[in-house]
Amino acid sequence: MINPVQLLKDNQIYAGKELGQNFLSNPDTARMIVDRTGIDGHARVVEIGPGLGALTIPIAKKTRHVTVVEKDRRLIPLLEEVLENHEIDWVRVVNQDFLKTDIAALAEEKKLVVMGNLPYNVSSQILFQLIRTRDAIDKAFLMFQKELADRILAMPGNKAYSRLSAVSRYAADIRRVVDIGPGAFFPKPAVDSTVLVFDFFPSRPFSRDMEQRLFTVIKAAFSKRRKSLKNALVGPDLGLDKPTITQALKSAGIAPERRAETLDVPEFERLTRAVDPFLNE
Ligand code: SAM
């Protein structure tokens, strides 16, 4: 089995903080995560950041349709060697920044299952990208720092409820799969990690344009989360003045004194419909 510590040492490669490199070093944990996804031989899997293949190996043992996207060029020959040692020759390895990858181009006749122990420094960006391109995705099993996972899962009214929670809840049903302690990784992170599953809704309630507006409204509302909505929404994001915002909130049935952290997704949707005519002016 792969020993990331030895493999990195032998090749004089240092795990890079800027690439969020905390490699799973416990193969039982990696196998358990993949088992919990329930994928079978029909699944088309895209793995984000395969690193040294800790998750890739158990994924490739379940299905022959696997593409992995790794940004760090130094890791590619090591990953290929690891796959070869396991006699796995059906994984497509792409050396690319996932943030610049067109995921729709990777989907063929079937929607994708996306997996990844995400680099923590870009995990929110990756999640937003997956949400934007979710037409090509069935489910995503993603590992985050536990604190970020808790923020994504938070419900309205909770202090941790955030822009990321509202946008994620609009696009998917989200559940916690498992929490994992620092001991399963090398180098050991300072915090716990959590795997979440995003079950993307098959249809979109809004057109793409309206969806973009919804995301802008959510962003604007949370940019000043301690202020009431009538004050928070005034500013460059929407470009609307306070009387217009107040009118839109009232016509959406939302008290202007409320704060972003109290609004559920249907309320954000109503608010977006209410501000939309003013944005078109
Ligand atoms: N999947 C491996 C594991 O569980 O051991 C590695 C996980 S490590 C937390 C994150 C991986 O993502 C690293 O291999 C890192 O080089 C890679 N990575 C970082 N930024 C990336 C990006 N923008 N696109 C693709 N891969 C990236």
Side-chain angles (χ1 to χ4, degrees):
M1 192 59 217
I2 341 152
N3 176 349
V5 187
Q6 198 57 45
L7 203 54
L8 293 170
K9 203 169 147 204
D10 290 348
N11 290 276
Q12 296 178 327
I13 291 177
Y14 297 94
K17 268 201 166 173
E18 65 292 348
L19 286 168
Q21 291 176 336
N22 295 99
F23 300 101
L24 268 168
S25 54
N26 183 334
D28 294 335
T29 308
R31 211 169 21 243
M32 177 270 290
I33 293 169
V34 175
D35 282 346
R36 291 207 182 185
T37 66
I39 56 161
D40 61 18
H42 299 291
R44 294 342 193 218
V45 177
V46 170
E47 189 195 356
I48 305 168
L52 302 170
L55 290 170
T56 321
I57 304 294
I59 293 169
K61 288 188 176 164
K62 301 263 186 202
T63 172
R64 290 189 156 241
H65 310 282
V66 188
T67 301
V68 299
V69 182
E70 172 59 57
K71 182 175 174 182
D72 189 347
R73 191 165 40 90
R74 305 170 307 163
L75 300 182
I76 302 294
L78 275 63
L79 174 64
E80 285 174 342
E81 190 186 317
V82 168
L83 291 172
E84 212 177 292
N85 287 341
H86 283 80
E87 296 179 355
I88 291 170
D89 63 2
W90 52 89
V91 172
R92 191 171 146 218
V93 178
V94 180
N95 179 204
Q96 199 168 292
D97 183 344
F98 185 77
L99 292 169
K100 295 181 185 147
T101 301
D102 175 8
I103 189 147
L106 300 177
E108 290 159 26
E109 73 282 15
K110 205 162 175 259
K111 285 197 179 187
L112 300 168
V113 176
V114 176
M115 288 191 205
N117 168 13
L118 298 184
Y120 64 90
N121 46 336
V122 286
S123 44
S124 303
Q125 275 183 68
I126 289 177
L127 179 56
F128 279 125
Q129 180 186 350
L130 295 176
I131 289 171
R132 276 197 308 274
T133 55
R134 67 189 183 280
D135 285 348
I137 307 169
D138 177 26
K139 287 181 201 309
F141 293 86
L142 306 173
M143 190 177 332
F144 299 92
Q145 291 197 341
K146 182 170 179 297
E147 196 202 337
L148 183 59
D150 288 342
R151 268 177 37 216
I152 294 168
L153 286 172
M155 299 293 274
N158 186 306
K159 242 174 53 197
Y161 185 60
S162 64
R163 174 185 170 204
L164 212 50
S165 343
V167 170
S168 303
R169 286 194 177 283
Y170 160 77
D173 190 35
I174 316 156
R175 279 171 296 117
R176 186 187 302 273
V177 177
V178 64
D179 290 334
I180 299 183
F185 302 90
F186 173 81
K188 259 193 204 174
V191 293
D192 285 349
S193 302
T194 297
V195 180
L196 299 181
V197 54
F198 296 74
D199 224 324
F200 288 109
F201 301 130
S203 60
R204 295 188 186 231
F206 275 164
S207 68
R208 275 173 199 280
D209 282 356
M210 277 297 274
E211 183 171 300
Q212 197 42 56
R213 283 183 186 168
L214 170 75
F215 293 167
T216 307
V217 167
I218 293 174
K219 180 171 175 241
F222 280 105
S223 67
K224 296 175 211 147
R225 59 180 296 146
R226 307 190 68 81
K227 291 196 173 175
S228 63
L229 286 164
K230 69 173 190 284
N231 290 320
L233 291 169
V234 177
D237 284 325
L238 296 176
L240 299 177
D241 59 18
K242 198 155 150 182
T244 309
I245 298 283
T246 308
Q247 187 188 334
L249 283 161
K250 283 185 179 159
S251 76
I254 299 166
E257 291 71 34
R258 285 175 61 188
R259 292 187 191 172
E261 64 200 32
T262 70
L263 260 60
D264 63 16
V265 171
E267 287 177 313
F268 275 120
E269 290 176 4
R270 282 210 313 270
L271 178 57
T272 304
R273 286 195 190 93
V275 293
D276 184 51
F278 302 110
L279 296 175
N280 284 329
E281 271 173 9

